[in-house]
Every structure is written in C-alpha cells, then in structure tokens.
Amino acid sequence: MTRRSVIIGTGSYLPARILTNAELAATVDTTDAWIVERTGIRQRHIAADGELTSDLAVAAARRALEAAGLTADAVDLIVVATATPDQTFPACATVVQHKLGMTTGVAFDVAAVCSGFLYALAVADAMLVTGAARTALVIGAETFSRLLDWTDRGTCVLFGDGAGAIVLRAEEQPGTSADRGILSHRLHSDGRYNDLLFVDGGPGSTGTVGKLRMKGREVFRHAVTNLAAVMTETLAAAGLAAADVAWVVPHQANLRILEGTAKKLGLASERVVVTVDRHANTSAASVPLALDVAVRDGRIRQGDLLILEAMGGGFTWGAAAVRW
Ligand code: UT7
C-alpha cells in the first residue's frame, strides 16, 4: 500500500463586483475586441474595499470543507498560495486559520505567484505522504486588483480577484497509477527571468507594495514550451501519457496559451477547463477556481485523470497528475 493525498472537497469564491471589458475601455486605451481576441477574457471580479485576500480564502475554504463533509477542527495543515497577503506578515494562512476558528495545526504561505497553487499542493502532498499532517486545506487566493497599475493597458486588463481551495486527506491506496489522489508532481523555477514579470516594490526594497510589471510577449513565448514540457514530465513520472488525460485544469492566463499547450500535447481543446473568459487571470487562485467549477458542474467524474498546470513570475512553473 502507498499513502496518497486525495482531494476530498473543492470550493471557490469570487467577489460580487464584475468589471467588464467595456468598462475598462472607458478608462484605458483598449477595446473589448482586442482583449477577447488576444486573451479570451471578457470580465473579471474585483474585491470590494475592505475585502481582503484572507476573506476570499476563508470563503473558498468553508465551501471546500462543506463539500468534504468536514469542519475546520479536522484540519491540521493550511497552506495558502498568494502574492497578495493582507499584510507583509503574518502569513495569510495564519489569518485564515484564526478566521476558521482553529487554534491548532500548522499554517504557512508559499510565494510562487501564478504557480503558487501547484507549489502549495506539492508541499502539502509531501507533508501528507510522510505523515507530518493528515488533512490539509490548500488554498490559492489573490487580490491582484491591488497590485495593478490601472493606467497600464498591457497589464490591467489581464487580472482579477478570487480564491479556490481544496481539502486533501492522506489515504492508503494500492500504489498503482489507477490510485485515487495525487500521482505525481513536478516543479521548476528559473530566476534568470525575474525581470519579465515582477512587482516594482516590496518591504525590503522600496518599502511600498509596488505595481505589477510584465513583458507579456516574452512571458507568452516561454509559457507554452515550459507548460507542455512539465506536463509531459509529470505524466511520465506517474507512468502515464497525454492520451490518459480526461481533463487539463490549467492556470488561466490567456486562452491562446491554454489552447496552444493542449495542442502541443495532442489534447483536444474540449478537454481543457476554461474559466479565463469569466475570471481573467487570478494568479494562484486560478487552478483551484477552475477545478471547483468543473467538479461542481459534473464534468470531472470519479476515476478521471486530471493534469493541473501553471506558470508564473520567477519564472516558476509546475504540474500535478491527479486521479479523481
Ligand atoms: O500568469 C502569469 C503568466 N502570464 C502570462 O502568461 C501572460 C502572457 N502574455 C500574454 O498573455 C500576452 O502577451 C498579452 C495578452 C499580455 C499581450 O498579447 P500579445 O499578443 O503578446 O500583444 P503584444 O504585447 O505583442 O502587443 C501587441 C500590440 C502592441 O501595440 P503595437 O506595439 O503593436 O503598436 C500593444 O501596445 O497591442 C497593444 N496592446 C493593447 N492594445 C489594446 C497591449 N495591450 C493592449 C490593450 N488594448 N489592452
């Protein structure tokens, strides 16, 4: 038998306020047609004043716990992936822990920007399979609207706010590629590309939060290649191939990246879960948000093989193969 981390519940939360492309076109030099054609994005959600990343995370976590049939006292590990914590410290995860009424367990953040959820998942999986924890909340939550330069049309049209969460539980499985749960994951980073996607401030440099800056075309160029490679590597590590995949649950940065990556693996675009049109790029929240959408609408069924993938600032990128 092998100990595996099994996803037993998913949840998500989007702020009520929807910002459409047409509204953005009234404030910056852009058009709905340009945004839809180049990115697939039609709208994004924006957190209300006073609505914090931890609030979004807690709302998603409560839904995931409800789906798992658990209460917060069953959780002994919280990992939050975020680049937009409420404060520089404490970790957003400890704020979430407190808001969920928990006083025990381990809670910490991971920072890998848009790949953050894959990093958080890999860390939580490692702790579960080694017995360091038994039931984990893994959350991606972001309020990227607060990092945007709303006068820069090259970036402000691309991002939105939201949160997604899963409950992971350690379970004994037979130890084959037909097991339920996380079968493999692979992470990569390459800091040579720090200056292609970054925030121009921080507590240790400017003492300010800063604004997001991106050389979009160059990020795009790396994305399809890196993502296709890490997906292939992750599937091979589990003794699987692209033909075994039922659903790709990708980071939602740009519809052209989603389709280009699937095509490179020979996967039909119908196999790709797409939410970028409604949610835009929610950074670390985008993979668990997309997962929750496809679980709740019934597309993802027991036994399906999923491949989760993301790439973001750093660069960082990664993938996970998960049997539902
Ligand atoms: O989540 C982390 C990973 N991030 C990503 O994966 C983002 C990757 N990059 C992208 O998705 C795309 O590169 C963008 C959507 C950011 C840009 O699309 P593109 O097809 O690469 O366009 P571009 O940057 O090459 O710009 C083409 C033109 C430029 O005008 P000129 O120089 O050709 O006259 C831009 O100034 O489009 C212009 N442009 C815009 N026009 C209208 C840039 N942004 C806009 C805009 N509205 N919002």
Side-chain angles (χ1 to χ4, degrees):
M1 299 292 274
T2 301
R3 193 180 304 204
R4 300 268 193 206
S5 307
V6 178
I7 301 176
I8 58 166
T10 66
S12 61
Y13 174 80
L14 290 157
R17 161 91 167 106
I18 291 173
L19 178 65
T20 64
N21 291 349
E23 286 176 87
L24 275 171
T27 59
V28 284
D29 182 16
T30 191
T31 60
D32 174 57
W34 189 95
I35 302 171
V36 172
E37 187 195 317
R38 299 296 182 110
T39 72
I41 296 166
R42 294 178 183 276
Q43 61 174 50
R44 70 286 293 141
H45 292 248
I46 304 291
D49 287 346
E51 192 175 31
L52 306 179
T53 295
S54 63
D55 297 321
L56 276 52
V58 166
R62 286 194 200 287
R63 289 175 186 173
L65 284 167
E66 193 185 353
L70 295 178
T71 51
D73 53 8
V75 173
D76 54 5
L77 173 65
I78 301 176
V79 189
V80 175
T82 189
T84 47
D86 304 357
Q87 297 149 269
T88 303
F89 76 82
C92 189
T94 63
V95 181
V96 170
Q97 181 191 29
H98 178 58
K99 287 182 177 175
L100 288 173
M102 295 165 57
T103 53
T104 59
V106 178
F108 59 91
D109 292 356
V110 299
V113 210
C114 297
S115 314
F117 185 76
L118 270 301
Y119 273 63
L121 189 71
V123 171
D125 178 51
M127 290 181 71
L128 261 56
V129 298
T130 55
R134 183 169 149 66
T135 308
L137 264 171
V138 185
I139 305 168
E142 302 278 20
T143 47
F144 255 49
S145 61
R146 297 186 175 127
L147 287 181
L148 298 177
D149 173 354
W150 288 98
T151 66
D152 174 13
R153 68 177 184 174
T155 53
C156 75
V157 305
L158 303 174
F159 296 91
D161 300 336
I166 61 168
V167 181
L168 266 188
R169 189 169 60 195
E171 287 183 6
E172 295 298 324
Q173 293 281 320
T176 74
S177 61
D179 286 357
R180 281 192 76 201
I182 298 176
L183 301 174
S184 61
H185 43 72
R186 288 293 181 271
L187 303 176
H188 295 279
S189 40
D190 187 343
R192 280 179 299 171
Y193 301 107
N194 274 330
D195 62 345
L196 295 183
L197 176 50
F198 65 100
V199 167
D200 63 3
S205 52
T206 58
T208 63
V209 172
K211 296 293 178 202
L212 183 148
R213 307 290 171 203
M214 177 166 70
K215 294 189 179 124
R217 201 180 306 188
E218 272 122 293
V219 178
F220 191 107
R221 217 162 41 78
H222 287 87
V224 173
T225 312
N226 287 349
L227 288 169
V230 77
M231 287 162 76
T232 305
E233 182 191 1
T234 302
L235 288 166
L240 296 162
D244 299 310
V245 172
W247 296 105
V248 183
V249 186
H251 172 48
Q252 310 280 326
N254 185 319
L255 186 59
R256 291 186 291 144
I257 296 177
L258 271 59
E259 289 177 343
T261 309
K263 197 170 164 198
K264 220 167 172 170
L265 264 79
L267 288 163
S269 53
E270 295 75 45
R271 301 280 103 201
V272 183
V273 178
V274 177
T275 54
V276 68
D277 53 332
R278 288 162 286 154
H279 303 170
N281 182 345
T282 56
S283 182
S286 89
V287 170
L289 259 165
L291 179 65
D292 188 49
V293 166
V295 167
R296 285 176 192 261
D297 71 20
R299 265 180 289 177
I300 293 177
R301 301 197 181 168
Q302 191 156 351
D304 281 353
L305 178 68
L306 319 182
I307 182 99
L308 282 47
E309 48 95 328
M311 158 150 176
F315 292 146
T316 55
W317 65 105
V322 180
R323 176 88 55 199
W324 202 252

